Structures are given as C-alpha cells and as structure tokens.
Amino acid sequence: MEDLAKKLNDYIAEKGMKKYELARELGTTEANVSRWLNGKHKISKAWQELIKQRLKFNE
C-alpha cells in the first residue's frame, strides 16, 4: 500500500500536477488523495486496482 502512495507522489511530481488534478483524473476527491498521500487512510483494494488501471501502473 505504501508503494502505491509513493508511486502516486512520484507520478504527480513527474507530471507537475496538483492533488486536485490527480483527484480529477482518478474520479475521486482531493481530500481522499490527500489522505492517501499523507498515510492517514489506507488505499482500498478496489481503489488500488482502479488507480493501476487509470494511471497504467505496472507491478
């Protein structure tokens, strides 16, 4: 799970995005993205799969 949060951080840094832009791309709220990136909430299995598909992350 922490790996995915790190990948998300790297992704927004690489693309020069803001959290709200990532949220829009994923179809969630900026608050959710913030919680995931700050480690306050665990990324659920369903969201993990959706994120991997939408952002084309390969394991």
Side-chain angles (χ1 to χ4, degrees):
M1 198 278 304
E2 291 81 22
D3 290 341
L4 189 55
K6 180 165 177 10
K7 283 184 180 181
L8 286 174
N9 267 322
D10 293 345
Y11 182 81
I12 63 174
E14 176 185 322
K15 301 282 184 180
M17 299 174 90
K18 301 285 183 188
K19 290 179 186 175
Y20 73 88
E21 294 170 320
L22 177 62
R24 188 177 336 131
E25 194 170 317
L26 293 175
T28 189
T29 63
E30 182 183 358
N32 275 344
V33 171
S34 248
R35 289 181 195 115
W36 294 337
L37 297 179
N38 292 327
K40 296 193 184 271
H41 282 229
K42 180 178 160 186
I43 304 174
S44 71
K45 296 276 186 195
W47 272 111
Q48 288 179 26
E49 291 305 314
L50 189 91
I51 289 168
K52 289 175 189 174
Q53 288 175 1
R54 289 201 178 158
L55 301 182
K56 296 171 181 55
F57 287 160
N58 297 323
E59 293 281 339

